[in-house]
Amino acid sequence: MHPETTTLFTNVRVLDGTGAEPFDGEVLIEGSHIAAVGRPGATRRPADCRIIDGRGGTLMSALCDAHTHFTWNNGTSLDALGEMGVEEHTLLTARSAKTYIDHGYTMCVGAASAKQRLDVVIRDAINAGELAGPRYLANGREIASTGGALVPSITNFVDGVEEMRKTVRELIGVGVDVIKLILSGEEITGTQRAEDTYFTDAEIAVAVEEAHRRGVRVCAHARSAESVKMCLRTGVDIIYHGSFIDDEGMDELERQKDRVFVAPGINWLIATLEDAAPWGYTPELAEQVGYKRELEIAIEGLREMHRRGIRVLPGGDYGFAWTPHGTYARDLEHFVKLLGFTPMEAILSATKLGGEIMDRAGELGQVHSGFLADLILVDGDPLADITILQDRDRLTAIMKDGRFHKEPTVA
């Protein structure tokens, strides 16, 4: 479809991403943007317009995953990612990008790449129209201290302020949009505890200083209470996990809620407890090392974040064997069933807040005149059943930039 053609969606329920109730309406797309949103029959119809009868389906913004790993390979060991040949890894990463948009995701925030330039290369190819994929904020290899890496083979190691400054500058030179820091451990490693905290405030502060000077943001793997507070003291932009946040951290997070985002990756905890047994990580083992306790504490904390109006977004650690690519919308179900979100609030976290975390709040995440035409047409009502968004077949059309990635199955 040529970007300058026009498309009119009619007979749709418009879920506009503002929090308003859906309404029967029409949406006109001209080129890459939404030109008009109106009531049935009230929208102009250009002579060359392609008309799509949505047959009562829900037309809404496409989705955002706020903690994305294009380079993860649906495997059981991330160490293997360090050994994978760059050619094979490039093909795998391109397939992952396509899988995201195949499932209605047009906004993704990179949360570490297994190789330094892979995210950047794939982002650039997507932007050039050479590969199918979402809008992407590219990351490099994550940064950890000596003794603090979760996966040594895919890590940049730094110790001290000047090493941190140099590594951050190198990543910026590669062309990243986001830089990832490992501030706490992860129980599945067997050696790094989730409630440990690595690095010093001075090391993190210089990473943020160097990144922000060049318009690059900083995200952090921060499970421990102290690591969350470290993020808030030093200006980290995106907090991943935050499971063990304490009262002091919660109060400060609320104070900074208009600046910072939280992407808890809740499905990782749930799937590691419930779905990893076929790969040898039994529920008993997961509970023994602390994942059940962490999940219970994390749910309580995330419910409180939601109550306080902190920006909590879905997405996290898809690409393991038990959190495979293509299952991304499980997060939305967890938000509703476990974290106290209404279906509308869960959808807003993946659409409106997606536009905000992508730093394009006036262009992405809503069905509104002047916004980019990144849309999905859903066969059904996700407000009545949030799990519909997990069914690729129920996404009858997927559009990015006014172009159909998935042609509508209705006419």
Side-chain angles (χ1 to χ4, degrees), residues 187-254:
E187 302 297 345
I188 202 169
T189 64
T191 56
Q192 314 297 342
R193 305 272 75 87
E195 292 183 82
D196 292 344
T197 302
Y198 313 119
F199 284 128
T200 64
D201 276 20
E203 289 168 313
I204 303 308
V206 78
V208 172
E209 175 191 348
E210 290 294 332
H212 285 183
R213 180 183 293 128
R214 298 287 295 276
V216 171
R217 284 184 283 172
V218 178
C219 62
H221 174 102
R223 293 195 181 275
S224 71
E226 181 58 26
S227 66
V228 173
K229 289 184 283 191
M230 181 180 287
C231 289
L232 296 169
R233 288 194 298 267
T234 58
V236 168
D237 304 285
I238 303 169
I239 297 172
Y240 289 136
H241 309 301
S243 300
F244 294 102
I245 189 170
D246 60 16
D247 291 343
E248 180 185 5
M250 187 71 74
D251 290 342
E252 184 60 22
L253 183 59
E254 182 179 14

Side-chain angles (χ1 to χ4, degrees), residues 335-382:
F335 275 32
V336 172
K337 291 187 174 179
L338 298 175
L339 305 186
F341 284 62
T342 66
M344 176 67 85
E345 289 169 338
I347 288 170
L348 292 178
S349 75
T351 55
K352 182 176 184 291
L353 293 187
E356 293 178 15
I357 201 170
M358 296 294 290
D359 202 23
R360 301 179 75 172
E363 295 182 287
L364 295 171
Q366 296 182 46
V367 185
H368 191 277
S369 179
F371 275 60
L372 285 160
D374 286 17
L375 304 169
I376 54 176
L377 180 60
V378 184
D379 175 21
D381 180 4

Side-chain angles (χ1 to χ4, degrees), residues 128-350:
E130 297 165 357
L131 293 175
R135 305 175 190 279
Y136 193 51
L137 300 182
N139 215 312
R141 292 193 302 173
E142 56 198 23
I143 299 174
S145 62
T146 298
L150 306 184
V151 188
S153 65
I154 58 173
T155 298
N156 291 305
F157 285 95
V158 308
D159 293 290
V161 166
E162 291 312 313
E163 285 189 13
M164 179 68 82
R165 190 188 307 276
K166 184 173 187 290
T167 299
V168 169
R169 287 175 173 176
E170 288 172 348
L171 284 163
I172 292 169
V174 166
V176 301
D177 302 297
V178 191
I179 286 169
K180 170 79 170 289
L181 306 173
I182 300 298
L183 303 191
S184 65
E186 180 71 54
E187 302 297 345
I188 202 169
T189 64
T191 56
Q192 314 297 342
R193 305 272 75 87
E195 292 183 82
D196 292 344
T197 302
Y198 313 119
F199 284 128
T200 64
D201 276 20
E203 289 168 313
I204 303 308
V206 78
V208 172
E209 175 191 348
E210 290 294 332
H212 285 183
R213 180 183 293 128
R214 298 287 295 276
V216 171
R217 284 184 283 172
V218 178
C219 62
H221 174 102
R223 293 195 181 275
S224 71
E226 181 58 26
S227 66
V228 173
K229 289 184 283 191
M230 181 180 287
C231 289
L232 296 169
R233 288 194 298 267
T234 58
V236 168
D237 304 285
I238 303 169
I239 297 172
Y240 289 136
H241 309 301
S243 300
F244 294 102
I245 189 170
D246 60 16
D247 291 343
E248 180 185 5
M250 187 71 74
D251 290 342
E252 184 60 22
L253 183 59
E254 182 179 14
R255 192 182 72 78
Q256 297 190 38
K257 66 182 180 181
D258 294 332
R259 182 191 70 80
V260 71
F261 299 90
V262 177
I266 192 72
N267 186 66
W268 161 256
L269 296 176
I270 295 166
T272 301
L273 279 163
E274 298 179 357
D275 302 328
W279 295 274
Y281 208 74
T282 64
E284 293 77 19
L285 178 57
E287 181 174 351
Q288 179 183 333
V289 303
Y291 277 115
K292 182 178 180 181
R293 172 176 171 267
E294 181 176 354
L295 177 61
E296 291 171 349
I297 293 171
I299 288 172
E300 182 179 350
L302 290 165
R303 290 179 71 92
E304 179 65 11
M305 289 182 202
H306 177 53
R307 189 188 70 78
R308 295 193 190 200
I310 291 158
R311 293 182 292 183
V312 179
L313 284 80
D317 285 332
Y318 290 95
F320 288 89
W322 51 91
T323 60
H325 285 295
T327 62
Y328 318 116
R330 286 188 66 180
D331 267 49
L332 299 178
E333 180 183 1
H334 300 322
F335 275 32
V336 172
K337 291 187 174 179
L338 298 175
L339 305 186
F341 284 62
T342 66
M344 176 67 85
E345 289 169 338
I347 288 170
L348 292 178
S349 75

